[in-house]
Amino acid sequence: MDQQRLTALELMQDGPVIPVIVLNDPAHAVPMAQALVAGGVRVLEVTLRTPQGLSCIEAIARSVPEAIVGAGTVRSAGDAQACANAGARFAVSPGYTSALGRACQELRLPLLPGVATSGEIMAAQADGFNELKFFPAVQAGGSAMLKAWQGPFGDVRFCPTGGISQGNAREFLALKNVVCVGGSWLVPVEAMEQGDWSRITALAREAVALRAV
């Protein structure tokens, strides 16, 4: 099926929160994705932190067409290829290398590269990436760092991830260089283990409401 290819900025603009999803049980993938979509959250980052990550991406891509599923923790060209083969529509990385950027460009796979320093921002921009993930956001300087970057990097848009919660998300979303945030609080481990999909839908709806800062 030929699906519309979105830019990194369009993915970021789809909603105020991109859920960072760690799945240990492939059986949870489809109902979890359906629950998030029911709550208005379509862009889903399924990380490669577990061996089940790729199969979960594949299951969501196949069974939940309303979702825009991507891969997180993409660290190499091989990861990018595997994710694209599994049906991922975008990639998110914890850091940035030119090799990874080149691989994603060749695959026509939108990449949200992770950065934590000014030098990393410049390296990513040199390769054509202006929409970046600030990671780990809270640990690397939080909203104060993002405010400091507004001057020298006024053309960069960020998705802060790492330490973001329902409690501090608005603080980040209020910044003019932040388009969205990434967070794992939408998909609590205990909710998935208990099959409490209505709770995940409720958390998704609360996340969508964060747009009204």
Side-chain angles (χ1 to χ4, degrees):
M1 180 173 60
D2 183 28
Q3 293 178 305
Q4 179 188 5
R5 187 168 52 255
L6 301 171
T7 65
L9 182 59
E10 287 169 336
L11 290 162
M12 293 166 74
Q13 291 172 331
D14 196 75
V17 183
I18 296 177
V20 179
I21 303 161
V22 180
L23 286 162
N24 293 297
D25 186 345
H28 293 159
V30 168
M32 178 274 309
Q34 291 170 332
L36 287 168
V37 170
V41 174
R42 299 191 309 154
V43 177
L44 316 180
E45 176 191 337
V46 176
T47 73
L48 301 185
R49 297 179 194 174
T50 65
Q52 296 81 16
L54 283 173
S55 62
C56 290
I57 290 168
E58 191 170 9
I60 294 168
R62 182 178 60 247
S63 302
V64 194
E66 309 95 323
I68 302 168
V69 64
T73 325
V74 176
R75 296 167 49 193
S76 67
D79 285 345
Q81 182 68 66
C83 293
N85 292 346
R89 295 177 63 186
F90 65 95
V92 183
S93 61
Y96 180 72
T97 66
S98 287
L100 176 60
R102 201 161 43 244
C104 288
Q105 288 166 337
E106 290 172 358
L107 290 165
R108 304 181 77 185
L109 185 69
L111 173 66
L112 198 58
V115 299
T117 68
S118 296
E120 291 168 354
I121 293 172
M122 291 170 66
Q125 280 201 292
D127 290 344
F129 295 95
N130 293 304
E131 288 77 41
L132 308 175
K133 164 180 156 176
F134 176 35
F135 177 81
V138 170
Q139 297 86 341
S143 58
M145 181 68 83
L146 287 161
K147 288 176 186 175
W149 279 340
Q150 286 176 358
F153 300 114
D155 55 343
V156 179
R157 297 295 174 264
F158 294 97
C159 172
T161 305
I164 310 295
S165 66
Q166 192 170 12
N168 64 8
R170 284 187 187 276
E171 171 192 341
F172 287 90
L173 290 166
L175 300 174
K176 65 181 182 181
N177 57 350
V178 170
V179 180
C180 65
V181 299
S184 58
W185 81 88
L186 277 70
V187 282
V189 172
E190 65 273 17
M192 286 197 282
E193 289 176 347
Q194 296 164 8
D196 190 354
W197 309 120
S198 61
R199 181 182 172 196
I200 290 175
T201 295
L203 288 167
R205 288 196 179 111
E206 290 171 6
V208 170
L210 289 169
R211 190 186 287 280
V213 175

